[in-house]
Amino acid sequence: MYKGSAYRLLESYDVKVGDRIVVKTRDNEYRGILMPRYELADDLHLVIKLRSGYNIGVSIDEIVSITLEAREEEEAAIVGRGEEEERERKRERRDHRVASLEHEYAYEHNTRLAMISTGGTIASRIDYRTGGVKAALTAEELYSIVPELSSIAAIDAEVLMQEYSENLTPMHWSIMAERVGEKMEQGYDGVVIAHGTDTMHYTSSALSFALQNLPVPVVLVGAQRSSDRPSSDAATNLIGASLFAANADTSGVFVAMHNGRSDDKIAVHMGTRVRKNHTSSRDAFKSIDAEPIALVDVDSRRIEMLASNIRNRDKGRRPVVKARFDERVALIKFYPGFDPSIIEHLISKGYRGLVIEGTGLGHVSKRCFNAIRDATASMLVCMTSQCIWGRLRMTVYDTGRDLLSMGVVPLDMLPETALTKVMWVLANSSSMDEARSMLLSNIAMEFK
Amino acid sequence: MYKGSAYRLLESYDVKVGDRIVVKTRDNEYRGILMPRYELADDLHLVIKLRSGYNIGVSIDEIVSITLEAREEEEAAIVGRGEEEERERKRERRDHRVASLEHEYAYEHNTRLAMISTGGTIASRIDYRTGGVKAALTAEELYSIVPELSSIAAIDAEVLMQEYSENLTPMHWSIMAERVGEKMEQGYDGVVIAHGTDTMHYTSSALSFALQNLPVPVVLVGAQRSSDRPSSDAATNLIGASLFAANADTSGVFVAMHNGRSDDKIAVHMGTRVRKNHTSSRDAFKSIDAEPIALVDVDSRRIEMLASNIRNRDKGRRPVVKARFDERVALIKFYPGFDPSIIEHLISKGYRGLVIEGTGLGHVSKRCFNAIRDATASMLVCMTSQCIWGRLRMTVYDTGRDLLSMGVVPLDMLPETALTKVMWVLANSSSMDEARSMLLSNIAMEFK
């Protein structure tokens, strides 16, 4: 499966995939098994499975010599044993056991990243023959696609779930939050979550509320084009997210994706302030009414911090995980002709929260006033703006003042963030008064 | 109510509001009654009510002399008669009678604009003492606020309705469409509609479908800050909209609002491709996935056309007015945790159309599939994307393909435009097949 320059190099040394080899570079010597690469990966790296279980990508430019130690056939038993170990590790993860994995990270890195895949384009590989999608984010496959990762940190990758992100629900946010909490307890220097892009901003804001007092960064990352396409942004995004998670002196929940049209600049966004603003472009994710908090240059590996108000990294800090969400919350976008009976339907279904995407500064038609008045008796009714940009200001016009006097809570934040916040607040408060007070507190820099 | 330079000039000639005067400028002579101005209007113009009934603003820099012809007391009867005529005209408008107003436009202009106010910030003046809002768009008041308008065209202004735009419904769109149709029959060279900004983009897309084969431009215009505030954009927007409506060699329905941070550049947007993207900034309205179709420089009065694919102006063309909308259409924004029972509620209420704001390329959770399958039996179910920018592409992933196979109609346009289109199509078709075919036809350049 090697091609081009890499193939010619391997041929000249007469080694094949599966062979045990020793690769010498100017600075190092790597001993391990030559791993296969995906069809559309580049032709500039070899991937070697080291004795530690980790794969490493070696740039062919740096290779001084390759020595064959044993042929594939002789190694079959060893590889087989390796697979059995991998299956065992997966079983452990499924049981949600927290095991000390310290001994796994012997190889050269002091920095350890946990990479959790949840599904989506970045973690999948489309099989063009069957049309099926295969989750591809075992550590081995990851290194095979993005060998540069091995130079950033020791990465422990696991498949937590396999869903297109449009299928994720608040229950999945809870599972992710719990798992990230475990990774924090295990002392990782950062967590990277590979995620479908469709709802990645909902998840990032949900995790921002669920994961507090974080010692290190949690970085969500996706891809707009799948890993096996030549134009894929998967590798660059993963490298940018990993560089930031491993090295940035910061903590919290972030989203890392392409910045502008540039091929090697990754923008890191605050988890509560980001939105998917384009269906297909690589720079679809934008910070709203704010700058990205950092830019990562994947080529030079430089991290440029643009925000100074973010809590620094401190591995001594103990994370607080509040992973529950109340699903009885609806997001409703108002429009001319909107039928207030939809609100009445939610009241009758026992909903506890309603986030309205109003117009302009935070308005809806007076036709909705009765339904909203009814709703405030049994639920938190909150206002945001469908304009997306700009501040919510409900005191300027009669309409806004009328709504405030009915008890509507103005949430000057993205509607998507308001939704996850109301879901989280309702599951983590013991009275409507407490809930209302939490709603109006700035918990994860969500207010504009 | 004159102040500063204008006040001093009037004082030096000893003339007062209400006096009949003759004003000589370098090029012209104006005979009429000195009209009052609003408190916060500029101090650089006098406003004179001409015998034709129209007001004109005269720049004080150009005034050579002012002669008093008669004092206010002597003129009281004449002014009173004028007011009675104005009341009569309003009664006529209420009766929706179509009268030939040819004789009204004697004064110097060959170009006639109809200005229709519907409410909102641009057409209102906030009384800070009572907090109440007063519609202020009679022709007289308009010229008093924006005297420059009189140099653009003869403008016949009327108050059609007085609503904050969040209170407008499809019924109001129908009334506006009918009224614009009448103005077209009366041979106006353009129509300017003053409108609240909150839902102006919904109205502009609705009118784009309802008003076809237009001979001249219909330009919606609003203000983000009310006319009596020093920072108001009302005057510049009105001037820009009027310049475009009067002079651009084009036809169709447009929105004219500030472009960028510039004080004197107005962007003109296609009515189906524009969105209010900011709660408060003057350049809140943006063309989505497109350039504005024109820029108007209010200072130099130059119109720069950026689009070449728009039908030209042709007063011989007969407009086709299809003003009905079916309100039994809902717009639903999908989000993680979305409860499909909302769709079932709409089915049970007899809804005929549903526009979903899906995620990414046009997706929703598979949890919604059963409800959507049920809905397609009795209504048109259409997909758009909440990303706002980018093309809808439902053939890329399983989720989209599954939805298409259920009969979901992909509408690659703004969700707000999709909503008004479905409402319009359902009211103007005789079968679901015809409706579906109309939905997929490009009627008003609404497709991306």
Side-chain angles (χ1 to χ4, degrees):
Chain A
M1 287 180 244
Y2 284 92
K3 62 188 180 187
S5 315
Y7 176 79
R8 286 190 295 275
L9 180 73
L10 292 171
E11 201 176 41
S12 72
Y13 283 103
D14 188 29
V15 293
K16 294 189 175 58
V17 166
D19 288 350
R20 174 180 291 274
I21 56 177
V22 180
V23 174
K24 280 201 176 120
T25 66
R26 271 159 286 179
D27 304 322
N28 276 301
E29 188 178 287
Y30 304 102
R31 188 176 301 260
I33 295 164
L34 181 65
M35 296 299 285
R37 299 202 66 198
Y38 285 125
E39 280 165 58
L40 294 169
D42 71 42
D43 65 342
L44 304 173
H45 294 83
L46 305 185
V47 176
I48 301 161
K49 187 184 184 72
L50 303 170
R51 197 197 290 272
S52 66
Y54 281 92
N55 289 10
I56 186 162
V58 184
S59 165
I60 60 170
D61 286 348
E62 300 192 353
I63 293 176
V64 177
S65 74
I66 302 178
T67 316
L68 175 69
E69 287 208 326
R71 274 275 168 230
E72 182 182 15
E73 304 82 58
E74 306 161 30
E75 288 298 320
I78 298 166
V79 175
R81 199 158 59 234
E83 283 169 355
E84 180 54 36
E85 278 164 13
E86 176 61 18
R87 270 197 294 277
E88 175 61 25
R89 270 209 299 284
K90 279 185 182 160
R91 269 195 295 273
E92 277 180 19
R93 283 197 290 267
R94 264 197 303 276
D95 294 347
H96 278 247
R97 265 181 251 147
V98 181
S100 166
L101 300 172
E102 282 295 325
H103 68 280
E104 296 271 354
Y105 303 92
Y107 175 69
E108 104 176 4
H109 279 297
N110 293 320
T111 306
R112 296 163 51 209
L113 289 182
M115 192 168 286
I116 298 173
S117 99
T118 64
T121 303
I122 193 169
S124 66
R125 187 164 170 270
I126 291 164
D127 185 324
Y128 288 108
R129 287 153 303 186
T130 66
V133 170
K134 181 175 173 292
L137 209 77
T138 63
E140 283 73 18
E141 289 168 310
L142 191 64
Y143 283 125
S144 169
I145 298 170
V146 196
E148 297 90 336
L149 289 178
S150 60
S151 65
I152 298 171
I155 296 181
D156 179 38
E158 72 170 59
V159 178
L160 181 64
M161 54 187 81
Q162 293 183 37
E163 285 288 356
Y164 286 135
S165 73
E166 62 268 30
N167 291 328
L168 298 179
T169 67
M171 176 198 75
H172 295 99
W173 303 336
S174 301
I175 294 171
M176 285 184 224
E178 295 284 3
R179 195 75 187 119
V180 171
E182 289 164 15
K183 298 292 181 190
M184 296 283 163
E185 296 290 346
Q186 290 164 23
Y188 282 92
D189 295 289
V191 177
V192 174
I193 302 179
H195 197 289
T197 58
D198 267 27
T199 68
M200 186 159 64
H201 47 311
Y202 291 91
T203 300
S204 68
S205 66
L207 295 185
S208 300
F209 298 117
L211 294 165
Q212 295 183 7
N213 206 42
L214 287 180
V216 297
V218 175
V219 186
L220 287 102
V221 61
Q224 290 280 82
R225 292 156 203 180
S226 65
S227 311
D228 52 352
R229 292 185 193 172
S231 69
S232 175
D233 49 340
T236 326
N237 290 348
L238 267 177
I239 294 167
S242 302
L243 282 170
F244 187 84
N247 301 309
D249 184 20
T250 189
S251 61
V253 178
F254 309 97
V255 167
M257 290 288 285
H258 258 75
N259 184 53
R261 305 285 160 178
S262 155
D263 268 346
D264 49 14
K265 279 275 199 322
I266 301 300
V268 182
H269 308 275
M270 181 69 58
T272 51
R273 300 294 296 275
V274 63
R275 193 175 186 284
K276 184 177 184 179
N277 271 358
H278 198 285
T279 60
S280 61
S281 80
R282 297 188 306 181
D283 60 337
F285 282 77
K286 301 285 186 203
S287 287
I288 303 298
D289 289 318
E291 288 288 293
I293 65 130
L295 295 178
V296 181
D297 186 312
V298 168
D299 256 10
S300 70
R301 306 200 155 197
R302 216 173 78 81
I303 298 174
E304 181 189 357
M305 290 301 295
L306 302 178
S308 57
N309 56 343
I310 303 183
R311 212 167 171 197
N312 69 341
R313 174 191 290 267
D314 175 3
K315 282 185 76 174
R317 210 180 282 143
R318 287 294 301 272
V320 177
V321 181
K322 295 180 174 178
R324 289 189 309 138
F325 294 88
D326 190 329
E327 284 208 33
R328 290 168 295 172
V329 180
L331 172 65
I332 282 181
K333 176 168 171 168
F334 171 78
Y335 51 87
F338 174 80
D339 176 359
S341 85
I342 294 172
I343 296 175
E344 283 149 17
H345 168 75
L346 297 173
I347 298 173
S348 75
K349 290 266 293 182
Y351 267 65
R352 299 185 64 213
L354 172 62
V355 175
I356 301 174
E357 269 193 26
T359 59
L361 297 164
H363 304 141
V364 296
S365 165
K366 56 196 175 192
R367 294 210 304 189
C368 303
F369 282 9
N370 282 339
I372 287 175
R373 210 176 276 116
D374 290 349
T376 54
S378 57
M379 61 172 106
L380 287 171
V381 181
C382 306
M383 183 62 74
T384 63
S385 175
Q386 62 189 252
C387 291
I388 300 176
W389 282 269
R391 307 292 301 271
L392 195 82
R393 283 283 174 266
M394 297 183 67
T395 52
V396 177
Y397 290 98
D398 294 348
T399 306
R401 290 191 293 266
D402 289 347
L403 289 165
L404 288 176
S405 74
M406 291 174 207
V408 171
V409 184
L411 292 185
D412 191 10
M413 60 188 75
L414 283 171
E416 294 85 352
T417 298
L419 174 73
T420 65
K421 184 171 185 180
V422 177
M423 287 177 166
W424 179 80
V425 159
L426 284 170
N428 291 281
S429 56
S430 48
S431 72
M432 277 300 189
D433 278 351
E434 188 194 354
R436 178 181 285 263
S437 145
M438 284 168 73
L439 273 183
L440 293 171
S441 312
N442 206 358
I443 291 171
M445 300 180 77
E446 67 273 19
F447 278 95
K448 285 186 176 177
Chain B
M1 288 179 240
Y2 283 93
K3 61 187 179 188
S5 317
Y7 177 78
R8 285 189 296 275
L9 180 74
L10 293 170
E11 200 176 39
S12 70
Y13 284 104
D14 188 28
V15 293
K16 294 189 170 57
V17 167
D19 288 350
R20 175 179 290 273
I21 56 177
V22 181
V23 174
K24 281 199 175 121
T25 65
R26 270 157 288 178
D27 306 322
N28 278 300
E29 190 179 285
Y30 304 102
R31 189 175 301 262
I33 294 163
L34 182 65
M35 297 299 286
R37 300 203 66 198
Y38 284 124
E39 279 165 60
L40 294 170
D42 70 42
D43 65 344
L44 304 173
H45 293 83
L46 305 185
V47 177
I48 302 161
K49 187 183 186 69
L50 302 170
R51 198 196 288 274
S52 66
Y54 280 92
N55 290 10
I56 187 161
V58 184
S59 165
I60 61 170
D61 286 347
E62 300 193 353
I63 293 177
V64 177
S65 73
I66 302 178
T67 316
L68 177 69
E69 286 209 324
R71 274 277 168 226
E72 182 180 18
E73 303 81 58
E74 306 160 29
E75 289 298 322
I78 298 168
V79 175
R81 200 159 59 237
E83 283 171 355
E84 181 53 35
E85 279 163 14
E86 176 62 19
R87 270 197 294 277
E88 175 61 24
R89 270 209 300 284
K90 279 186 183 163
R91 271 194 294 274
E92 278 180 19
R93 285 197 289 266
R94 265 197 301 276
D95 294 347
H96 278 248
R97 265 180 251 144
V98 181
S100 166
L101 300 173
E102 283 295 323
H103 68 280
E104 295 273 357
Y105 303 92
Y107 175 69
E108 102 176 7
H109 280 297
N110 293 319
T111 306
R112 295 163 51 208
L113 289 183
M115 192 168 286
I116 299 172
S117 97
T118 64
T121 303
I122 193 168
S124 67
R125 188 163 170 270
I126 290 165
D127 186 325
Y128 287 109
R129 286 154 304 186
T130 66
V133 171
K134 180 175 175 292
L137 209 77
T138 64
E140 283 73 15
E141 288 167 311
L142 191 63
Y143 283 123
S144 170
I145 297 171
V146 195
E148 297 90 336
L149 289 177
S150 60
S151 65
I152 297 170
I155 296 181
D156 178 37
E158 72 170 59
V159 178
L160 181 64
M161 55 188 78
Q162 294 183 35
E163 286 288 357
Y164 286 134
S165 73
E166 62 267 29
N167 292 327
L168 297 179
T169 67
M171 178 198 75
H172 295 99
W173 303 337
S174 300
I175 294 171
M176 286 185 224
E178 295 284 3
R179 194 77 188 119
V180 171
E182 289 165 16
K183 299 293 182 190
M184 297 281 162
E185 296 289 346
Q186 290 164 23
Y188 282 93
D189 296 290
V191 178
V192 174
I193 302 178
H195 197 289
T197 57
D198 267 28
T199 67
M200 186 158 65
H201 48 308
Y202 290 92
T203 300
S204 67
S205 66
L207 295 184
S208 299
F209 299 116
L211 293 166
Q212 297 183 6
N213 208 43
L214 287 179
V216 297
V218 175
V219 185
L220 288 102
V221 62
Q224 290 278 83
R225 291 153 202 182
S226 65
S227 311
D228 52 352
R229 293 187 191 169
S231 69
S232 176
D233 49 340
T236 325
N237 290 348
L238 267 177
I239 294 167
S242 301
L243 283 169
F244 187 84
N247 301 309
D249 184 19
T250 188
S251 62
V253 178
F254 309 98
V255 167
M257 290 289 284
H258 258 75
N259 185 53
R261 307 282 159 179
S262 156
D263 268 347
D264 50 13
K265 279 276 199 322
I266 302 298
V268 181
H269 308 275
M270 181 68 60
T272 51
R273 300 294 295 276
V274 63
R275 192 174 188 284
K276 184 175 184 180
N277 272 358
H278 198 284
T279 61
S280 61
S281 79
R282 298 188 306 181
D283 60 336
F285 282 77
K286 301 286 186 204
S287 287
I288 304 298
D289 289 319
E291 287 290 290
I293 65 129
L295 295 177
V296 182
D297 187 312
V298 168
D299 257 8
S300 68
R301 304 199 156 200
R302 216 173 78 80
I303 298 173
E304 181 189 357
M305 292 298 298
L306 303 178
S308 57
N309 56 343
I310 303 183
R311 215 169 170 195
N312 69 340
R313 175 190 291 268
D314 175 3
K315 281 184 77 176
R317 209 181 283 143
R318 287 294 302 274
V320 177
V321 180
K322 295 182 174 175
R324 290 190 307 139
F325 294 88
D326 191 329
E327 284 208 32
R328 290 167 295 172
V329 179
L331 172 65
I332 282 181
K333 176 169 170 168
F334 171 79
Y335 51 87
F338 174 80
D339 176 358
S341 86
I342 295 172
I343 296 176
E344 283 149 17
H345 168 75
L346 298 172
I347 299 173
S348 73
K349 292 265 294 180
Y351 266 66
R352 299 185 65 215
L354 172 61
V355 175
I356 300 173
E357 269 193 25
T359 58
L361 296 163
H363 304 142
V364 295
S365 165
K366 57 195 175 193
R367 293 211 303 191
C368 302
F369 282 8
N370 282 339
I372 287 175
R373 211 176 275 116
D374 289 351
T376 54
S378 57
M379 61 172 107
L380 286 172
V381 181
C382 306
M383 184 61 73
T384 64
S385 175
Q386 62 189 252
C387 291
I388 301 177
W389 281 270
R391 308 291 302 273
L392 196 81
R393 283 284 173 265
M394 296 182 66
T395 51
V396 177
Y397 290 98
D398 293 349
T399 306
R401 290 192 294 266
D402 288 346
L403 289 165
L404 288 175
S405 75
M406 291 174 206
V408 171
V409 183
L411 292 185
D412 191 10
M413 60 189 73
L414 283 172
E416 294 86 353
T417 298
L419 174 74
T420 67
K421 184 170 186 182
V422 176
M423 286 178 166
W424 178 82
V425 159
L426 284 170
N428 291 280
S429 57
S430 48
S431 71
M432 277 300 190
D433 278 351
E434 190 194 353
R436 178 182 284 264
S437 146
M438 285 168 72
L439 273 183
L440 293 171
S441 312
N442 206 358
I443 291 171
M445 301 180 77
E446 68 273 20
F447 277 95
K448 285 187 176 175

